[in-house]
Amino acid sequence: SVNLAIGLHNQGYKVGILDADIYGPSIPTMLNLHQDPLVNENNKIIPPEAHGLKIMSFGFFAPEETAVIWRGPMIMKALQQFFWDVDWGNLDFLIIDLPPGTGDAQLTLVQSIPITGAVIVTTPQNVALLDAVKGIAMFRKTDVPILGVVENMSTFTCPSCGTESHIFGSGGAEKVSAKFEVPILGHIPLIPEIREARDLGEPLTTKQIHQVRMRFAEIAEKVVKN
């Protein structure tokens, strides 16, 4: 979600990103953004900014070592507040990062605001494909268009010998695409740099020349077209 949002920003769009994973909010860490949001004169929360993105996450309001033990109604209330009580301004895209599965966050999302479309992210192995299939079924049942599927951790290239390996299998995105007639938006390789950059709060899509930036630029273009 972070790299897609930055990919859209790199193309000149005004982009916000909402971290809808209440139990495990990771967006602040990925963007190295740790500050308390302010409130404007209209009593709206002002989303902090990083890398040209407006960001809102429950991680701004809860210490990292604190476990969030909430039932569904509390999750729904918090997310609805992030939709309606945040001064997002005039955005071209609001990217919403969802936790895995088809739980309270997903249901709150589709019931609270009109959704332009969903991007399904999977890894190649069959276990991950099961979650992707359930996600597609839920979004279609709630009349949310599927923009396409992205295959993460697609291949790994050995840094020593240059051999490309399919550590988690292959063809996952192709299976989903064929079964549900949705486009493939792209394949993201398993690169240690992605993890390292994420932990440092400096996503690779912010670098001027990097293959990951180019991959997400292509994905962002397809998302806009779809």
Side-chain angles (χ1 to χ4, degrees), residues 147-168:
L147 301 180
V149 59
V150 174
E151 185 178 274
N152 198 14
M153 303 183 190
S154 182
T155 59
F156 174 75
T157 300
C158 175
S160 299
C161 65
T163 301
E164 187 176 74
S165 302
H166 295 271
I167 296 177
F168 297 106

Side-chain angles (χ1 to χ4, degrees), residues 115-136:
I115 307 298
T116 303
V119 174
I120 304 299
V121 181
T122 186
T123 49
Q125 68 267 43
N126 289 335
V127 172
L129 295 179
L130 292 175
D131 287 338
V133 167
K134 291 177 181 177
I136 291 174

Side-chain angles (χ1 to χ4, degrees), residues 156-202:
F156 174 75
T157 300
C158 175
S160 299
C161 65
T163 301
E164 187 176 74
S165 302
H166 295 271
I167 296 177
F168 297 106
S170 62
E174 286 74 14
K175 292 176 184 176
V176 173
S177 175
K179 182 174 183 178
F180 294 97
E181 298 181 343
V182 295
I184 297 175
L185 299 176
H187 297 76
I188 306 301
L190 178 60
I191 302 176
E193 280 183 277
I194 295 179
R195 191 270 308 161
E196 294 165 0
R198 177 197 65 195
D199 290 346
L200 292 173
E202 294 288 338

Side-chain angles (χ1 to χ4, degrees), residues 1 4 8 93-99 101-102 105-106 109-110 113-122 131-150 176 180-186 219 222-224 226:
S1 297
L4 173 58
L8 290 166
F93 295 96
L94 177 61
I95 304 298
I96 303 174
D97 182 62
L98 291 168
T102 55
Q106 286 82 350
L109 173 67
V110 298
I113 59 175
I115 307 298
T116 303
V119 174
I120 304 299
V121 181
T122 186
D131 287 338
V133 167
K134 291 177 181 177
I136 291 174
M138 185 206 70
F139 284 121
R140 285 193 165 167
K141 185 174 289 188
T142 53
D143 297 321
V144 175
I146 305 297
L147 301 180
V149 59
V150 174
V176 173
F180 294 97
E181 298 181 343
V182 295
I184 297 175
L185 299 176
I219 293 172
K222 292 177 181 178
V223 166
V224 172
N226 292 344

